[in-house]
Amino acid sequence: MNESVLDLQRRDLPALPKGEAERLESLADTGLLDTPAEEGFDRITRLAQKLFGVSAASVSLIAEDRQFLKSIAGNLEVNGPRAESFCTHTIMTPDTLVVEDAEEDERFRTNPYVVGLPNIRFYAGQPLQGPGGHNIGTLCISDQEPRAFNGEQEKVLQDLAAIVQREINVRTDLRNGARIQQAHLPEQAPPIPGYTITAAFRPAGDLSGDFYDWDLVNGRFRFTLADVMGKGTGPAILTATIRAGLRATADVDPASALTTVSRELIDNLARTESFVTAFHGELDPVTGIVTYADAGHGLAHHVPAGAGARRLATGSGPLGIMPGLQWNTHTFTLDSGDALVIPSDGLLELLNENLDELACELAKLSSSDNLSADLDLLISSAGTPTDDVTVLILRRD
Amino acid sequence: MKFSYETKESYAEVKADGRLNMVSAPELREFVSELISDGSTRIVVNLEQAVFMDSSGLGALIGCLKAARQAGGDLRIAAVQPQVKMVLQLTSMDKVLTPYATAEEAFSND
């Protein structure tokens, strides 16, 4: 038992909520702890502060031994030990906790925040829940003057808390989606002697319309980089479908695989007015011959050893555009020191839609020993990406 | 992005002004749908003032093209600017949505 928990007990504050371990896990699952202020929460606390005319309103999260304010409007900032927080009492029950005058309340009259600065007298807090329904924190208001708080006001606080709750729920859902999408990306590339294979994936939001995949099929290295139109949840759902389709067609050449997947998905894609650009290829590690088909992706580059990047020919348009489209197979040889670099168009957008600049940056990335770090560096020097950015590199040593 | 249209002798000309992206794409789609349901099925989208198009913008153009063809007409694009032209070429969609130099030329041969 750590010191902070002993602290809590020494002060005769409420015992820890039942299922404290699960509660902390639930809090962690929201991904909100120790994150910067965000407008989505700040606009609600600002509203609460104005509406009730109090010194402060905050979204407060109760961690193991401390209180963290995810959002604060006003001047009563109390990022302190849990044991001294009002909100740790609030999360003990599902109900609103109202303290009209802390000096008159047994539980709080000796609280350091009541006795000393910021001299809280009035407090009202409504519990907020994390996944699994655990009380992880509160939406609370406080003031240096005691005040009466009637049932109608309590209802307003509950309504505002419900808006915060919805914000938490949506974020948790997106976070969960992102976790599942990440789990669909391949792990470390299969060890293929003589080759280095890496990829980096930077969604613009939680969920991405980009994906990459690779697999070793009968001694051949099969790989894909695809980009579903748009970004966010809808496109992210489609990435899983396309990935599954291309995995299921791993026994035919890349062009036939694209043709099959497009035929299977054309109706679904047409209904959502969506399409997918894809670079789908296969490497024979023995010969270095790359066989590929490009469905309107158009951004893959071959970087021969010591030379500039050369953009590879594209084929027919994207998947899902028109019924009856077919893709052709192209080939080229990856010689010793050569690289194949496939970016998504998010990188092109970041580089001011300049194809020459893209070719130049891809040539640099092609020899990177740490693609993830170098891509982050490139992204941060180019500005804030508005689209998903993904890069896959296949290099022959 | 702003849209306006003008009815010409043999087609309707839609002018798109600004960035054709995730935000404006559904607006273009809606704008053209209304034109089609009002009976204009031969449409030229004049992109002279469209400085940028992303994949959602391209999706909207293709959606509009399909809708026009389904209604027995066609949709063509004109006065395409460099970035839009690049997106059309990279995606090979210039074969489906052939850019014409001017709106007048788009339907001049049929």
Side-chain angles (χ1 to χ4, degrees), chain A residues 304-389:
Chain A
R310 180 178 65 90
R311 197 151 48 82
L312 290 169
T314 181
S316 304
L319 306 178
I321 288 276
M322 299 270 155
L325 273 193
Q326 294 212 337
W327 285 269
N328 300 317
T329 297
H330 304 260
T331 57
F332 70 95
T333 304
L334 211 55
D335 288 317
S336 178
D338 287 11
L340 167 63
V341 190
I342 316 161
S344 64
D345 67 354
L347 190 61
L348 181 61
E349 191 173 326
L350 204 61
L351 297 171
N352 309 310
E353 302 282 318
N354 185 327
L355 282 173
D356 294 335
E357 210 175 314
L358 178 73
C360 181
E361 293 298 341
L362 293 182
K364 281 189 230 164
L365 285 178
S366 73
S367 58
S368 168
D369 291 326
N370 188 345
L371 175 63
S372 201
D374 288 342
L375 183 65
D376 282 341
L377 211 60
L378 175 60
I379 289 175
S380 62
S381 67
T384 310
T386 53
D387 195 6
D388 311 315
V389 177

Side-chain angles (χ1 to χ4, degrees), chain A residues 228-231 270 273 275 277 294 296-299 311 314-318 320-322 345 348-349 353 355, chain B residues 19 22 29 52-56 58-60 62-66 69 83 86-87 89-93 95-96:
Chain A
V228 179
M229 184 193 96
K231 55 190 181 230
E273 297 212 334
F275 64 82
T277 71
D294 185 311
H297 194 69
L299 293 173
R311 197 151 48 82
T314 181
S316 304
I321 288 276
M322 299 270 155
D345 67 354
L348 181 61
E349 191 173 326
E353 302 282 318
L355 282 173
Chain B
R19 294 169 71 83
M22 210 167 168
R29 193 66 190 79
F52 174 84
M53 177 176 78
D54 67 5
S55 63
S56 301
L58 177 60
I62 294 161
C64 293
L65 169 71
K66 285 182 182 168
R69 286 187 180 167
Q83 190 274 343
M86 179 186 75
V87 171
Q89 282 169 349
L90 287 173
T91 54
S92 290
M93 287 316 292
K95 294 164 196 158
V96 180

